Amino acid sequence: MITPPRRQGEYADREIDCQEAMEPGFQAIVDCMTEAGWTRGEIMRSLRRLIAADNMTQKENAKVEAQTLQHCRSSLADNYSCWN
């Protein structure tokens, strides 16, 4: 079971708590990967690439959402001006 944050919202050691909650699962992934024949270096490089790819995906998703919101606002403004 994953340990939840000690409380809602921000607090001083929240990221440390997150790391501690994640550590057993992280270690289990590393252990499974090494048992399958991957080296620790390969695993760590792959994890870094996965994190970088996820960051890029999140940035692109935010960009698309912002563009979609802007488009919707423009469409609503155009439609509203047609009614007046």
Side-chain angles (χ1 to χ4, degrees), residues 62-77:
K63 184 178 172 182
V64 169
E65 287 177 16
Q67 290 171 342
T68 301
L69 181 60
Q70 181 61 36
H71 177 73
C72 288
R73 286 180 178 159
S74 294
S75 293
L76 286 173

Side-chain angles (χ1 to χ4, degrees), residues 33-49:
M33 295 296 289
T34 55
E35 287 175 19
W38 300 101
T39 67
R40 187 166 178 81
E42 291 169 325
I43 297 164
M44 295 304 141
R45 285 188 298 276
S46 295
L47 285 170
R48 281 192 290 275
R49 287 184 186 118

Side-chain angles (χ1 to χ4, degrees), residues 18-57:
C18 182
Q19 289 174 335
E20 289 175 354
M22 196 182 306
E23 201 277 329
F26 170 78
Q27 195 58 52
I29 290 170
V30 172
D31 290 346
C32 288
M33 295 296 289
T34 55
E35 287 175 19
W38 300 101
T39 67
R40 187 166 178 81
E42 291 169 325
I43 297 164
M44 295 304 141
R45 285 188 298 276
S46 295
L47 285 170
R48 281 192 290 275
R49 287 184 186 118
L50 284 171
I51 291 166
D54 182 68
N55 286 337
M56 288 176 61
T57 299

